[in-house]
DNA sequence: CCGTATCCCACATGATACTG
DNA sequence: CAGTATCATGTGGGATACGG
C-alpha cells in the first residue's frame, strides 16, 4: 500500500453501478463484500478447511485430524487458517482441558451456510474446468 | 451430507489423495477443479472484469471503457486479466483494424455461465459479510 | 488506443525450530 | 498435541516507460 497518498487505488468493486443507475452519493465502496469473501476463499487452505469441516458436520474435528485430512498443509498455515475462520465466526473452537490438550473445531451455522455457494462453485468447476484446461492448451499452441 | 469419517477422496472438489490410492497423502493435489477456479476468481481483478462484461452482455466493451469501469486497475493488470480470461475461453476478443485500433471484449457463453455461481457468492456475501466484519472486530477486542 | 517490458516491493506461504 | 516464532522465498500486482 502506498504511503500518504490519500487516494486508494482500489475502491468500487463488484457492486459497480451504472452511472445512470442510481446516484450513490458515496461512490467509494471501501470494502465490497464479494471482494472480501473472495479474498478469504481465495486463500490456499480456507475453502479446503471449510470443506473438510463441512463433511464432518455436525461433528467436531481435532487439529491433528484436520491436518491429516489436508495433506500438504503446514501447522502454521492450518493454525492461521483456522484462526481466520474463527475470527470470522465461521468456525467454532472448543478446548478440552487435558494433557495433552485437545482442541476441537466445527463449522458454525454461518460457516455451514457458506458451503452452499461453494457447492455452486464446485458444480460449475466440475462441469466446465476440463474444457477450460483444453482451451488453455489450445491457446498456448496457437500462440506465436 | 454425512458426518462420516475418512479422508476426503471425493472427486471434484478439493481432493487431496493421490490418484494411486496411496492412502495417506504425501502430495497435495494440484489439479482440483475447484482449487483452479478459486485461483482464478481469487485474482484481484478477474471477478470484477467478469461482472462488468456480464453487465454489458451481450454487448461488447472496449479496452479503455473496461478500464474506465474498473477504477484502480492498471493497464498491465487489465491486459493480463483479459488475457487470462481469453485463454480460458471465458472472454472473446475482437480486433477492429483501424488507426487507432479498437479492441472489443465480450463474455463467451461459458464466461456468461460463470456469472451464476458468482451471483450465489455475491448474494451470500451481501447477506453475511457485515456480520462477519462485526465478528472480526469483536474478536480483535476480546483478544488484545 | 492498446498493449508489452521493467523494476520493485509487500505479502502469502513454506521450512524449521521451539514451547506449554 | 497444539500451537507460536523466526527466517527464507516466490510471486501477485503496482508504477512507470516504451512500442505498434
Amino acid at each position: 500500500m502506498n504511503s500518504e497518498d490519500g487516494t486508494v487505488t482500489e475502491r468500487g468493486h463488484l457492486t459497480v453501478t451504472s452511472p445512470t443507475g442510481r446516484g450513490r452519493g458515496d461512490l467509494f465502496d471501501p470494502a465490497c463484500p464479494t471482494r472480501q469473501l473472495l479474498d478469504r476463499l481465495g486463500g490456499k487452505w480456507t475453502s479446503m478447511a471449510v470443506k473438510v469441516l463441512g463433511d464432518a458436520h455436525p461433528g467436531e474435528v481435532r487439529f491433528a485430524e484436520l491436518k491429516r485430512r489436508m495433506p500438504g498443509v503446514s501447522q502454521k498455515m492450518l493454525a492461521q487458517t483456522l484462526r481466520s475462520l474463527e475470527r470470522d465466526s465461521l468456525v467454532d473452537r472448543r478446548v478440552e482441558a487435558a494433557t495433552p490438550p485437545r482442541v476441537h473445531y466445527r463449522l458454525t451455522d454461518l460457516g455451514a451456510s457458506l458451503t452452499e455457494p461453494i457447492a455452486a462453485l464446485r458444480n460449475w468447476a466440475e462441469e466446465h474446468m476440463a474444457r477450460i484446461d483444453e482451451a488453455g492448451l489450445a491457446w498456448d499452441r496457437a500462440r506465436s
Side-chain angles (χ1 to χ4, degrees), chain A:
Chain A
M1 196 65 69
N2 284 334
S3 28
E4 38 253 54
D5 191 323
T7 309
V8 204
T9 46
E10 177 208 3
R11 49 179 81 117
H13 183 41
L14 302 178
T15 47
V16 171
T17 56
S18 61
T20 57
R22 63 187 179 93
R24 24 190 326 199
D26 186 54
L27 296 178
F28 304 88
D29 207 344
C32 163
T34 306
R35 171 76 270 142
Q36 292 185 333
L37 180 57
L38 248 11
D39 284 345
R40 286 165 166 86
L41 296 183
K44 192 165 182 180
W45 302 106
T46 308
S47 52
M48 199 192 299
V50 170
K51 161 81 168 137
V52 170
L53 287 167
D55 285 348
H57 210 261
E60 295 175 315
V61 187
R62 291 179 53 187
F63 186 89
E65 175 67 10
L66 226 25
K67 185 172 184 331
R68 190 178 71 77
R69 297 192 194 185
M70 296 167 61
V73 75
S74 63
Q75 281 191 334
K76 173 190 165 183
M77 287 314 296
L78 180 54
Q80 185 173 308
T81 300
L82 291 170
R83 277 283 185 187
S84 176
L85 289 170
E86 190 196 356
R87 182 178 183 279
D88 290 341
S89 284
L90 295 172
V91 157
D92 186 43
R93 181 176 180 267
R94 181 174 69 88
V95 180
E96 191 179 339
T99 44
R102 296 169 171 220
V103 184
H104 305 259
Y105 293 92
R106 68 170 187 85
L107 286 185
T108 62
D109 290 345
L110 185 59
S113 76
L114 224 202
T115 60
E116 288 151 26
I118 289 181
L121 277 188
R122 185 174 69 235
N123 291 334
W124 192 94
E126 287 175 359
E127 189 172 352
H128 298 294
M129 282 309 296
R131 182 168 310 187
I132 287 187
D133 279 345
E134 287 177 43
L137 294 176
W139 192 88
D140 288 342
R141 245 180 282 114
R143 252 212 99 171
S144 62

